[in-house]
Amino acid sequence: AQSVAQPEDQVNVAEGNPLTVKCTYSVSGNPYLFWYVQYPNRGLQFLLKYITGDNLVKGSYGFEAEFNKSQTSFHLKKPSALVSDSALYFCAVRARMDSSYKLIFGSGTRLLVRP
Amino acid sequence: EAQVTQNPRYLITVTGKKLTVTCSQNMNHEYMSWYRQDPGLGLRQIYYSMNVEVTDKGDVPEGYKVSRKEKRNFPLILESPSPNQTSLYFCASSLSGVTPHEQYFGPGTRLTVT
């Protein structure tokens, strides 16, 4: 079955420290992977995506993600966390359906950056 | 400004009273989709549309209807809402449903059915 797993419900990190939000996936065919962020009372905002090419993808707000095919992972990273990064983060994989595609989302990871 | 708009943002209603949540995008996107977000479950797709007059069921379509008469609009209809449809709803659009473009999301509609 095609799926996305975010094993941590919450990640806590101190401001200025590096952060990692984990994501693993299971999909048939080539994986197309996405990260979205949701701030309180807002819709999801696109951060970055992996389609092909370099395994390290750079996105908005200083975030990056590393695609690892052998481990079927797509972890989100940032070298130095900000308090304003505190939000809910979703990993998603594009899965092939009969005649179209759909995004399958993980359950989300809440990132809390303390001052 | 490129955006996806939803109305209303908040709605409290009673069981069985038909309601419609509107969704509109101004980016000339072909693909549109409705999701519901519930704690611990992430986002689950309700219905999607590849283009005008082309709609299909997602993972949780029961109790919902959609239509796509124009490219920009994709309303979600609950003919007879029930309490288990209390949720946060998001509309999203994408340039295409075939190529791997990112989706743009509306601000959400929080629905409570009593």
Coordinates of all heavy atoms in Angstrom, one line a residue, chain A residues 18-64:
Chain A
P18 N 20.0 23.0 15.2 CA 19.5 22.4 14.0 C 18.3 21.5 14.3 O 18.1 21.0 15.4 CB 20.7 21.5 13.5 CG 21.5 21.2 14.7 CD 21.3 22.4 15.6
L19 N 17.4 21.4 13.3 CA 16.2 20.6 13.5 C 16.1 19.6 12.3 O 16.5 19.8 11.2 CB 14.9 21.5 13.5 CG 14.5 22.3 12.3 CD1 13.5 21.4 11.4 CD2 13.8 23.6 12.6
T20 N 15.4 18.5 12.7 CA 15.1 17.5 11.7 C 13.7 17.0 12.0 O 13.3 16.7 13.1 CB 16.0 16.3 11.8 OG1 17.4 16.7 11.5 CG2 15.6 15.2 10.8
V21 N 12.8 16.9 10.9 CA 11.5 16.4 11.0 C 11.5 15.2 10.0 O 11.8 15.3 8.9 CB 10.4 17.4 10.6 CG1 9.0 16.7 10.8 CG2 10.5 18.6 11.5
K22 N 11.2 14.0 10.6 CA 11.4 12.8 9.8 C 10.1 12.4 9.0 O 9.0 12.6 9.4 CB 11.7 11.6 10.8 CG 13.0 11.8 11.5 CD 13.3 10.7 12.4 CE 14.7 10.9 13.1 NZ 14.9 9.8 14.1
C23 N 10.4 11.7 7.8 CA 9.4 11.3 6.9 C 9.9 10.1 6.2 O 11.0 10.1 5.7 CB 9.0 12.4 6.0 SG 7.9 11.8 4.6
T24 N 9.1 9.0 6.2 CA 9.4 7.8 5.3 C 8.2 7.6 4.5 O 7.1 7.9 4.8 CB 9.8 6.6 6.2 OG1 8.7 6.3 7.0 CG2 11.0 6.8 7.0
Y25 N 8.4 6.9 3.4 CA 7.3 6.7 2.4 C 7.3 5.3 1.8 O 8.4 4.6 1.9 CB 7.4 7.8 1.3 CG 8.7 7.6 0.4 CD1 8.7 6.8 -0.7 CD2 9.9 8.2 0.8 CE1 9.8 6.6 -1.5 CE2 11.0 8.0 0.1 CZ 11.0 7.2 -1.1 OH 12.1 7.0 -1.8
S26 N 6.2 5.0 1.2 CA 6.1 3.7 0.5 C 5.2 4.0 -0.7 O 4.1 4.4 -0.6 CB 5.5 2.6 1.3 OG 5.2 1.5 0.6
V27 N 5.8 3.9 -1.9 CA 5.1 4.2 -3.1 C 5.6 3.4 -4.3 O 6.8 3.0 -4.3 CB 5.2 5.7 -3.4 CG1 6.6 6.1 -3.8 CG2 4.2 6.1 -4.5
S28 N 4.8 3.0 -5.2 CA 5.2 2.3 -6.3 C 5.7 3.3 -7.4 O 5.1 4.3 -7.6 CB 4.1 1.4 -6.9 OG 2.9 2.2 -7.1
G29 N 6.7 2.9 -8.1 CA 7.3 3.8 -9.1 C 8.1 4.9 -8.5 O 8.5 4.9 -7.3
N30 N 8.5 5.9 -9.3 CA 9.3 7.0 -8.8 C 8.6 7.9 -7.8 O 7.5 8.3 -8.0 CB 9.8 7.9 -10.0 CG 10.7 7.1 -10.9 OD1 11.5 6.3 -10.5 ND2 10.6 7.4 -12.2
P31 N 9.3 8.2 -6.7 CA 8.6 9.0 -5.7 C 8.7 10.5 -6.0 O 9.8 11.0 -6.3 CB 9.3 8.6 -4.4 CG 10.7 8.3 -4.9 CD 10.6 7.7 -6.2
Y32 N 7.6 11.1 -5.9 CA 7.6 12.6 -5.9 C 7.1 13.0 -4.5 O 6.0 12.7 -4.1 CB 6.6 13.1 -7.0 CG 7.0 12.7 -8.4 CD1 6.0 12.2 -9.3 CD2 8.3 12.8 -8.8 CE1 6.3 11.8 -10.5 CE2 8.6 12.4 -10.1 CZ 7.6 11.9 -11.0 OH 7.9 11.5 -12.3
L33 N 8.0 13.8 -3.8 CA 7.8 14.0 -2.4 C 7.7 15.5 -2.1 O 8.4 16.3 -2.8 CB 9.0 13.4 -1.6 CG 9.1 11.9 -1.7 CD1 10.5 11.5 -1.6 CD2 8.2 11.3 -0.7
F34 N 6.9 15.9 -1.2 CA 6.6 17.3 -0.8 C 6.6 17.5 0.7 O 6.3 16.6 1.5 CB 5.2 17.7 -1.3 CG 5.0 17.5 -2.8 CD1 4.7 16.3 -3.4 CD2 5.1 18.6 -3.6 CE1 4.5 16.1 -4.7 CE2 4.8 18.5 -5.0 CZ 4.6 17.2 -5.5
W35 N 7.0 18.7 1.1 CA 6.8 19.1 2.5 C 5.9 20.4 2.4 O 6.1 21.3 1.6 CB 8.1 19.5 3.1 CG 8.8 18.3 3.8 CD1 9.8 17.6 3.3 CD2 8.4 17.7 5.0 NE1 10.2 16.5 4.1 CE2 9.3 16.6 5.2 CE3 7.5 17.9 6.0 CZ2 9.3 15.7 6.3 CZ3 7.4 17.1 7.1 CH2 8.3 16.0 7.3
Y36 N 4.9 20.4 3.4 CA 4.1 21.6 3.6 C 4.1 22.0 5.0 O 4.4 21.1 5.9 CB 2.6 21.2 3.2 CG 2.4 21.0 1.8 CD1 2.6 19.8 1.1 CD2 1.9 22.1 1.0 CE1 2.3 19.7 -0.2 CE2 1.6 22.0 -0.4 CZ 1.8 20.7 -1.0 OH 1.6 20.6 -2.3
V37 N 3.9 23.2 5.3 CA 3.8 23.8 6.7 C 2.5 24.4 6.9 O 1.9 25.0 6.0 CB 5.0 24.8 6.9 CG1 4.9 26.0 6.0 CG2 4.9 25.2 8.4
Q38 N 1.9 24.2 8.1 CA 0.7 24.8 8.5 C 0.8 25.6 9.7 O 1.1 25.1 10.8 CB -0.4 23.7 8.7 CG -1.8 24.3 8.9 CD -2.8 23.2 9.1 OE1 -2.5 22.1 9.5 NE2 -4.1 23.5 8.9
Y39 N 0.6 26.9 9.6 CA 0.6 27.8 10.8 C -0.8 27.9 11.3 O -1.8 27.6 10.6 CB 1.1 29.2 10.4 CG 2.6 29.2 9.9 CD1 2.9 29.3 8.5 CD2 3.6 29.1 10.8 CE1 4.2 29.2 8.1 CE2 4.9 29.0 10.4 CZ 5.2 29.1 9.0 OH 6.5 29.1 8.6
P40 N -0.9 28.2 12.6 CA -2.3 28.3 13.2 C -3.3 29.1 12.4 O -3.0 30.2 12.0 CB -2.0 28.9 14.6 CG -0.6 28.5 14.9 CD 0.1 28.6 13.6
N41 N -4.5 28.5 12.2 CA -5.6 29.1 11.5 C -5.2 29.5 10.1 O -5.8 30.4 9.6 CB -6.0 30.4 12.3 CG -6.5 30.0 13.7 OD1 -7.3 29.1 13.9 ND2 -6.1 30.8 14.7
R42 N -4.3 28.7 9.5 CA -4.0 29.0 8.1 C -4.0 27.7 7.3 O -4.0 26.6 7.9 CB -2.6 29.6 8.0 CG -2.3 30.8 8.8 CD -2.9 32.0 8.1 NE -2.2 32.3 6.9 CZ -1.1 33.0 6.7 NH1 -0.5 33.4 7.8 NH2 -0.6 33.2 5.5
G43 N -4.1 27.8 6.0 CA -4.0 26.7 5.1 C -2.6 26.2 5.0 O -1.6 26.8 5.6
L44 N -2.4 25.1 4.3 CA -1.0 24.5 4.2 C -0.3 25.4 3.1 O -0.8 25.8 2.1 CB -1.1 23.1 3.7 CG -1.3 22.0 4.7 CD1 -2.7 22.1 5.3 CD2 -1.0 20.6 4.2
Q45 N 1.0 25.6 3.4 CA 1.9 26.3 2.5 C 3.0 25.3 2.0 O 3.6 24.6 2.8 CB 2.5 27.5 3.2 CG 1.6 28.5 3.6 CD 2.3 29.7 4.4 OE1 3.5 30.0 4.1 NE2 1.6 30.3 5.3
F46 N 3.2 25.4 0.7 CA 4.3 24.5 0.1 C 5.6 25.0 0.6 O 6.0 26.2 0.6 CB 4.1 24.6 -1.4 CG 5.3 24.1 -2.2 CD1 5.4 22.7 -2.3 CD2 6.2 24.9 -2.8 CE1 6.5 22.2 -3.0 CE2 7.2 24.4 -3.5 CZ 7.4 23.0 -3.6
L47 N 6.5 24.1 1.0 CA 7.9 24.4 1.4 C 8.9 24.0 0.3 O 9.8 24.7 -0.1 CB 8.2 23.6 2.7 CG 7.9 24.3 4.0 CD1 8.3 23.4 5.1 CD2 8.5 25.7 4.1
L48 N 8.8 22.7 -0.1 CA 9.7 22.2 -1.1 C 9.3 20.9 -1.7 O 8.3 20.3 -1.1 CB 11.1 22.0 -0.5 CG 11.3 21.3 0.8 CD1 11.2 19.8 0.6 CD2 12.5 21.6 1.6
K49 N 9.9 20.4 -2.7 CA 9.6 19.1 -3.3 C 10.8 18.5 -4.0 O 11.7 19.2 -4.3 CB 8.5 19.3 -4.4 CG 8.9 20.1 -5.6 CD 7.8 20.2 -6.6 CE 8.2 21.1 -7.8 NZ 7.0 21.3 -8.8
Y50 N 10.7 17.2 -4.0 CA 11.7 16.4 -4.7 C 11.0 15.7 -5.9 O 10.1 15.0 -5.7 CB 12.4 15.3 -3.8 CG 13.2 14.4 -4.6 CD1 14.6 14.7 -4.9 CD2 12.8 13.2 -5.1 CE1 15.4 13.9 -5.7 CE2 13.6 12.3 -5.8 CZ 14.9 12.7 -6.1 OH 15.6 11.9 -6.9
I51 N 11.6 15.9 -7.1 CA 11.1 15.3 -8.3 C 12.1 14.3 -8.8 O 11.9 13.2 -9.1 CB 10.6 16.3 -9.4 CG1 9.6 17.3 -8.8 CG2 10.1 15.6 -10.6 CD1 8.3 16.6 -8.3
T52 N 13.3 14.9 -9.1 CA 14.4 14.1 -9.6 C 15.7 14.9 -9.4 O 15.6 16.1 -9.0 CB 14.2 13.8 -11.1 OG1 15.3 12.9 -11.5 CG2 14.3 15.0 -11.9
G53 N 16.9 14.3 -9.6 CA 18.1 15.1 -9.5 C 18.8 15.0 -8.2 O 18.8 14.0 -7.5
D54 N 19.3 16.2 -7.7 CA 20.1 16.2 -6.5 C 19.2 15.8 -5.3 O 18.1 16.2 -5.1 CB 20.5 17.7 -6.3 CG 21.6 17.8 -5.2 OD1 21.9 16.8 -4.5 OD2 22.2 18.9 -5.1
N55 N 19.9 15.0 -4.5 CA 19.1 14.4 -3.3 C 18.9 15.4 -2.2 O 18.0 15.2 -1.4 CB 19.9 13.2 -2.7 CG 19.9 12.0 -3.6 OD1 19.0 11.9 -4.5 ND2 20.7 11.1 -3.4
L56 N 19.6 16.5 -2.2 CA 19.4 17.6 -1.3 C 18.6 18.7 -2.0 O 19.0 19.3 -2.9 CB 20.7 18.2 -0.7 CG 20.6 19.2 0.4 CD1 20.0 18.5 1.6 CD2 22.0 19.7 0.7
V57 N 17.4 18.9 -1.4 CA 16.5 19.9 -2.0 C 16.4 21.1 -1.1 O 16.1 21.0 0.1 CB 15.1 19.3 -2.2 CG1 14.1 20.3 -2.9 CG2 15.1 18.1 -3.1
K58 N 16.5 22.3 -1.7 CA 16.4 23.5 -0.9 C 15.0 24.2 -1.1 O 14.5 24.1 -2.3 CB 17.5 24.5 -1.2 CG 18.9 24.0 -0.8 CD 19.9 25.1 -0.9 CE 21.3 24.5 -0.6 NZ 21.3 24.0 0.8
G59 N 14.4 24.7 0.0 CA 13.1 25.3 -0.2 C 13.0 26.6 0.5 O 14.0 27.3 0.7
S60 N 11.7 27.0 0.9 CA 11.5 28.3 1.5 C 11.9 28.3 2.9 O 12.1 27.3 3.6 CB 9.9 28.5 1.4 OG 9.4 28.4 0.1
Y61 N 12.1 29.6 3.4 CA 12.4 29.9 4.8 C 13.6 29.2 5.3 O 13.8 28.9 6.5 CB 11.2 29.5 5.7 CG 9.9 30.1 5.2 CD1 8.8 29.2 4.9 CD2 9.7 31.4 4.9 CE1 7.6 29.7 4.4 CE2 8.5 31.9 4.4 CZ 7.5 31.0 4.2 OH 6.3 31.5 3.7
G62 N 14.6 28.8 4.4 CA 15.8 28.2 4.9 C 15.7 26.7 5.1 O 16.7 26.1 5.6
F63 N 14.6 26.1 4.8 CA 14.4 24.6 5.0 C 15.1 23.9 3.8 O 15.1 24.4 2.7 CB 13.0 24.3 5.1 CG 12.4 24.6 6.4 CD1 11.8 25.8 6.7 CD2 12.5 23.6 7.5 CE1 11.2 26.1 7.9 CE2 11.9 23.9 8.7 CZ 11.3 25.1 8.9
E64 N 15.5 22.7 4.1 CA 16.0 21.8 3.0 C 15.5 20.4 3.4 O 15.1 20.1 4.6 CB 17.5 21.9 2.9 CG 18.2 21.6 4.2 CD 19.7 21.9 4.0 OE1 20.1 22.8 3.2 OE2 20.5 21.3 4.8

